[in-house]
Each structure stands twice: as C-alpha cells, then as structure tokens.
Amino acid sequence: MSYTIKKFDNEPILMITIHEDYNVATDQVKSDADVRPYFENTEEDLYHIINIIDLNISLDDIVQAANAGTRKEEALWKHPKHAMLILITQNPLAKVAAKGLGSSVFGSVKVRTFNTTEEALAWIREDIAERVA
C-alpha cells in the first residue's frame, strides 16, 4: 500500500505516512476516504500528521493535494474534528506551500511543518499539555 495510517493510543493524534509510491492524483481520494472515519468517530479534535518525508512531491502534486484538502465539499482538512494539520517534510517547496494553507484562499487551515516525526510529536504533546493546563 502507498500509505499507512496510525492512530496513537490515548492521544488525539492521527498520522498518515505517505510512501514513495504514493501518487497524489490517484491515491489521495482513497487515503482521504480511509482517514475520514477516524474524524467521524471521535469525540475529540485530532492532530492530523501527514508524513511525506519519502515522497518526491512536485508543485502540481502540492496544488492538487491542497485543493482536495481544503476546497472540495468533503475537504478533510476542514473537518470540524480536524484540530491542526502537521506536515512532516524536509522539502522546501512543501514547507512554503504549507504556509500558504494558512491563507484565506485555502480557508485558513491551521498548519505546522516539522523535519521529523519526533519533532512533530514533541510539539503536539506540548501543545496538548498547554491546552489542558
């Protein structure tokens, strides 16, 4: 499979890891459909990690993913239980594009980027602790 999904036990964290054979044009509809039930069947808002470290992503892929994630009627990144999009990438183009998701054109998506999964998880857990305190 071109992606794997992991829901962290006892934490409001959902991570989809995109593998190198993932094709945005053909796989995003399926991966979004597989992820959607996690948002539909939770009481709490979920931090949505997308790890694209292994993906060789193009500008066309980024535009297509952003449009699907924010503009379509069933846009996953606009789901009421979607707390924040966390993008794990070292690709400078993807990092710039992620900042653009915060604009009103894309519906002001809450998004952060990190270079590693460990950095992302540490930040999320700190954010959760601050919200609880």
Side-chain angles (χ1 to χ4, degrees):
M1 182 170 276
S2 60
Y3 57 92
T4 53
I5 300 169
K6 177 181 180 179
K7 168 64 177 77
F8 286 72
D9 292 337
N10 304 313
E11 295 183 288
I13 303 170
L14 178 67
M15 181 167 67
I16 180 167
T17 301
I18 306 297
H19 304 294
E20 63 184 37
D21 60 336
Y22 188 92
N23 181 306
V24 173
T26 58
D27 293 332
Q28 187 171 5
V29 170
K30 170 101 172 84
S31 62
D32 282 359
D34 288 345
V35 167
R36 180 170 300 284
Y38 291 94
F39 289 97
E40 297 292 335
N41 298 310
T42 185
E43 295 294 320
E44 57 194 344
D45 293 353
L46 296 176
Y47 289 83
H48 183 194
I49 301 173
I50 302 176
N51 182 339
I52 62 168
I53 287 285
D54 294 333
L55 185 64
N56 184 13
I57 196 164
S58 70
L59 180 59
D60 286 342
D61 291 337
I62 290 170
V63 170
Q64 185 171 355
N67 282 331
T70 62
R71 292 187 172 175
K72 292 187 177 181
E73 186 175 322
E74 68 282 356
L76 194 57
W77 303 344
K78 302 302 290 180
H79 191 282
K81 294 294 184 181
H82 194 274
M84 181 178 284
L85 176 64
I86 306 293
L87 188 65
I88 301 174
T89 184
Q90 295 176 358
N91 182 315
L93 180 61
K95 288 182 179 192
V96 169
K99 287 182 184 178
L101 291 173
S103 73
S104 59
V105 171
F106 289 105
S108 304
V109 173
K110 294 179 188 173
V111 61
R112 301 263 327 216
T113 61
F114 295 92
N115 289 322
T116 67
T117 302
E118 294 76 21
E119 291 172 356
L121 289 172
W123 183 87
I124 291 168
R125 288 172 177 143
E126 183 176 313
D127 192 56
I128 291 168
E130 288 176 5
R131 290 175 191 239
V132 172

